[in-house]
Amino acid sequence: MPILLGTLLALVSVVVIVYPFLGSKKYRLVSESFVTREKLRAERLRIYRKISDVEADFTSGDLTEADYQHQRDQLRIAAAEILKQESGESMPNAKRDEELEKQISRLREQSAASTEAPEGGDTL
Amino acid sequence: MADLGVMALLLGLALSAYSAIGAIIGEKIGMAALVVSARRALYMTTVTAIVASGALINAFVQNDFSIAYVADHSNTLMDRAFVWVAFYAGNEGSLLYILLALSVISAISVWFAPKRLARSMPWTIAILAIIQLFYFGVLAFVASPFELLATVPLEGRGINPLLTPPGMFSHPPLLMGGLIGVTIPFAFVSGALIAGNYGDDWIDVARVSAIITWGVLGTGMLLGAWWAYTILGWGGYWAWDPIENVALMPWLVMTAFIHSIMVQKRRGMFRMWNVALLNIAFVLAQLGMFINRGGPVVSVHSFAASTLGTIFLLFMMVSLVFAFALFLWRMPQLKSDRAMESFVSREASFLINNFLFLAVMGVTLWGVLFPVFSDLARDVSVSVSAPYFDRVNGPVLLGIVVMMGIGPLLPWRKTSARSMKQWFVWPIIVGLITIGILVALGIQRPVAIFSFGVLAFVATAIGEEWWRGTAARHRSGDNWALAWWRLVNGNRPRHGGYIVHISILMLALGIIGTNFYQQRTNGSLALGESLVIDSYRIEYVDTFDSSRPDRIAQWAEMTVYQIDPDDYKQEISFAKAQGSSGFTLKDSTLRPNDELIDTIEPWHGFYIDFNMASVRSGIRSTVVEDLYVIPRDFLADGRVSLAVSINPLAWWLWVSGPFFIIGTMVALWPQAAVERRPARKRLKGESEGEL
């Protein structure tokens, strides 16, 4: 019985690893453009989170108004730049700004209270 | 079942070799199907590890003593609940457990890896598969748990009695799982570096897997300390034993990493530093495996009879060379986005805290390896004991606690004098008041008093952060509880971190109390006699046997009285003159203010098959202090030999555990998505196959 189970396990393993070569599904390595899109999206989300953190820092007094304005503007420009790269030239500027505002507002709503309180970043 | 186990191990060996080679070749020649196949082979190694583990567990359940490992670690008297413990009680089984843990977490992390890491995944898969290959190879050819005996014994040797307390169901698995878990962030970061992915794409995967590993390892160490304190019966909880140290060192480096990764995430700095930290943690984890598997350092925890030392040493050396060759190769591309603007900023405080963690790690590493160097250089065997570690690491650890209070109060980039004053004034005042109160109360030991002041400073800093945030929400209409909850929920990594910091404060409270203010005394009592220490009188009232076929055990029943020291003035003065913290009373008459507060039943056992004594201490634990009674021996004349101690604030050591776990979980809990992902159908269309 153990030998039978072991043989069955070996057969299942062979089927599982051979299947990608024989199945109807054709695999392709992900394209550079797909990886780039995913990276841009991740970077944009990171920037949104940073904008939220900067707003919280300012509210808590961790940042001066000048620093806050400077950092927030830089981050918004960076986010807009990424949105531009993501959408190509197809999205008009006004639409892009609207999308950016929408995403930042959504983040702000999610941590609604946190923007009013002392926040300095993460410890972990 | 041995045949099935052996077949599963050999199959796992073949699959992991295929997975490593397939992933690399598939990536190099651009053959996606081969990479997919390699990834599936990695998943299948998990299945084979599960099957091999299942075969061994089943052998324990069936009392299959034809397998040497089963005969060595169980018998028919063993409660079936201990099958799980017996599984990893010995060298071979624990290696199988490590492989099981590694394969499961490898499969989970590869399955959930983000798509943006697709280009580096073949390399990550290859690294994970190579490490699994090593363990499969060791288990299949060098330390097989399925080795058969020429003559099948009728009865097994039984399980090591030290492994039968409930804590053993979780302490070793967590510790071993935590050590091997360091592989996951290491494999992801190394994979990204090989693939030329120098950006921050790996941050989230590395951070999450590092925090999980760190939490598991930390919980495992804390459970080990609790086991030592409550079960081993030597009166302490941390002995700076080499095996304790080799678990502590990667944990310290991972602690540094999970702080500095936040700087990379927020400010795009410390990229190179973070990669180096992960490399160090991984190599230290391998060092732990080496020392535990027959390395040159003797420990009560290690598998001393193991001959695997050389194999694990070689694997550690290969890991070291690989990790740092890769690091040096990619170093020019790992530069920070920006330079540090001020040394009074949060990022600077994280850097200082990192240096302090590495300092403790370095001191501990030197203490672990010094006996080896001494042996090699001078042919003289020396051992480095607790006083070295306490004296050198103690001040640095206090420095880490100080930074725990300062860091979160500092803003990113730079700090103005105004904000320094705004944030630091209350913590400093409370710290100073605490020191003043302790001095006024006549508490001795300046270092301990200063340390308590530091703890008060840090606790106030955290409290101040929470107070301001909660008050702001309360002003907007939330009740206090909801306001605090929303504050924590708004930034879970940060506030989860604060909860962990609170647990560290509790731990520090217990460490300071037990190290600076512990009182000890020894004595032997006949029935009816008492031992007095501090404000306790312990009377030996009864004794009984509870022997079983595998052990001879004797219990002592003892009543504990709270006393008024004034009633014992004369005896206490006499004992103090003798330099003792306690004394024995032959007279059983109680004094006017003696008050019965508890009954404890410590016991002393001897396990015949293992030629091993085991002790369960009698512990009366309160928030203020523990009364800790160790029955050293039951003497032939009917007396019981005792070691008794008062361990101030020891209770806080164990309360810190739940806070540590809760804080870690809060920090890990995912934040709500900022943006919804496109519908699955559309994503599938975009993803161009399975990779």
Side-chain angles (χ1 to χ4, degrees), chain B residues 245-547:
Chain B
N245 291 339
V246 294
L248 177 69
M249 288 187 288
W251 186 83
L252 288 167
V253 180
M254 293 296 273
T255 312
F257 174 78
I258 60 178
H259 283 88
S260 64
I261 192 75
M262 297 314 301
V263 182
Q264 185 178 341
K265 198 170 174 181
R266 179 73 188 261
R267 304 273 297 144
M269 297 161 70
F270 296 180
R271 207 169 275 131
M272 203 185 289
W273 177 252
N274 286 327
V275 174
L277 285 177
L278 270 184
N279 286 349
I280 295 170
F282 179 69
V283 174
L284 287 173
Q286 300 310 314
L287 174 74
M289 299 290 183
F290 160 57
I291 286 183
N292 209 355
R293 308 284 153 189
V297 183
V298 177
S299 159
V300 290
H301 293 75
S302 60
F303 301 100
S306 168
T307 53
L308 290 170
T310 315
I311 296 170
F312 276 87
L313 177 64
L314 281 173
F315 189 66
M316 185 191 79
M317 298 308 288
V318 170
S319 304
L320 181 74
V321 170
F322 168 77
F324 285 94
L326 179 60
F327 175 73
L328 291 173
W329 178 35
R330 296 304 198 192
M331 205 166 72
Q333 283 81 32
L334 291 172
K335 289 195 176 118
S336 294
D337 293 347
R338 52 175 69 85
M340 197 178 294
E341 291 176 45
S342 163
F343 282 100
V344 190
S345 61
R346 182 165 299 170
E347 45 269 51
S349 78
F350 277 151
L351 192 61
I352 294 168
N353 122 327
N354 270 220
F355 285 143
L356 294 175
F357 277 115
L358 287 188
V360 179
M361 185 278 290
V363 167
T364 310
L365 183 63
W366 178 245
V368 170
L369 296 181
F370 182 72
V372 183
F373 295 143
S374 167
D375 211 14
L376 288 174
R378 298 190 300 148
D379 205 20
V380 176
S381 291
V382 294
S383 64
V384 179
S385 56
Y388 157 79
F389 295 102
D390 288 340
R391 277 183 205 151
V392 187
N393 278 342
V396 190
L397 287 168
L398 188 63
I400 289 174
V401 177
V402 172
M403 290 312 297
M404 220 164 73
I406 294 174
L409 296 182
L410 294 174
W412 296 101
R413 293 182 66 212
K414 57 192 173 191
T415 307
S416 66
R418 190 175 148 269
S419 73
M420 287 275 281
K421 193 176 162 193
Q422 181 192 354
W423 286 106
F424 282 91
V425 66
W426 277 111
I428 290 173
I429 287 173
V430 174
L432 291 174
I433 288 173
T434 304
I435 292 173
I437 290 172
L438 293 174
V439 171
L441 287 173
I443 306 286
Q444 304 288 314
R445 312 262 185 148
V447 176
I449 291 173
F450 176 73
S451 305
F452 284 128
V454 167
L455 299 192
F457 165 80
V458 179
T460 311
I462 297 170
E464 188 182 21
E465 287 262 302
W466 276 350
W467 166 254
R468 287 182 193 225
T470 307
R473 283 162 180 73
H474 179 65
R475 280 196 295 276
S476 67
D478 291 341
N479 67 44
W480 286 102
L482 186 64
W484 181 80
W485 174 249
R486 285 194 168 156
L487 172 76
V488 172
N489 221 22
N491 191 341
R492 290 183 207 124
R494 181 182 186 197
H495 295 285
Y498 286 158
I499 297 171
V500 173
H501 285 184
I502 288 172
S503 82
I504 301 297
L505 292 183
M506 292 172 170
L507 198 66
L509 201 61
I511 292 170
I512 296 166
T514 52
N515 275 286
F516 284 92
Y517 300 104
Q518 188 187 52
Q519 299 177 59
R520 282 170 178 262
T521 191
N522 296 315
S524 63
L525 301 178
L527 280 171
E529 291 182 351
S530 301
L531 190 146
V532 176
I533 180 170
D534 194 42
S535 59
Y536 297 98
R537 173 176 173 160
I538 305 140
E539 186 180 350
Y540 180 28
V541 293
D542 200 3
T543 179
F544 49 93
D545 276 323
S546 70
S547 299

Side-chain angles (χ1 to χ4, degrees), chain B residues 574-590:
Chain B
F574 184 72
K576 275 191 178 159
Q578 303 285 313
S580 172
S581 305
F583 55 89
T584 53
L585 282 173
K586 293 194 183 303
D587 181 9
S588 61
T589 314
L590 296 176

Side-chain angles (χ1 to χ4, degrees), chain A residues 25-51:
Chain A
K25 195 173 177 180
K26 297 283 175 241
Y27 296 97
R28 282 183 294 155
L29 287 175
V30 288
S31 66
E32 200 61 57
S33 65
F34 174 74
V35 174
T36 306
R37 276 204 308 278
E38 283 290 307
K39 284 184 176 184
L40 286 172
R41 181 176 171 275
E43 182 57 29
R44 183 164 50 81
L45 297 185
R46 263 201 293 274
I47 291 175
Y48 292 158
R49 190 67 67 190
K50 281 184 188 173
I51 291 173

Side-chain angles (χ1 to χ4, degrees), chain A residues 47-77:
Chain A
I47 291 175
Y48 292 158
R49 190 67 67 190
K50 281 184 188 173
I51 291 173
S52 170
D53 288 344
V54 166
E55 286 179 349
D57 283 355
F58 173 59
T59 313
S60 67
D62 279 357
L63 279 177
T64 64
E65 182 155 8
D67 272 348
Y68 164 64
Q69 296 285 2
H70 176 70
Q71 284 190 35
R72 194 192 59 169
D73 289 349
Q74 276 194 330
L75 288 166
R76 289 168 77 98
I77 290 167

Side-chain angles (χ1 to χ4, degrees), chain B residues 141-225:
Chain B
F141 302 117
V142 189
S144 173
F146 299 104
E147 203 172 293
L148 297 173
L149 289 169
T151 314
V152 180
L154 291 174
E155 182 57 293
R157 187 168 174 238
I159 190 166
N160 183 333
L162 289 179
L163 300 179
T164 52
M168 286 298 109
F169 282 84
S170 48
H171 159 60
L174 287 175
L175 215 53
M176 290 187 280
L179 274 180
I180 199 65
V182 181
T183 307
I184 303 300
F186 171 78
F188 272 90
V189 174
S190 299
L193 291 187
I194 296 172
N197 188 352
Y198 312 118
D200 293 340
D201 297 322
W202 49 265
I203 282 185
D204 293 326
V205 178
R207 177 186 163 268
V208 169
S209 56
I211 293 180
I212 292 172
T213 298
W214 171 84
V216 168
L217 193 54
T219 308
M221 284 194 292
L222 206 55
L223 277 169

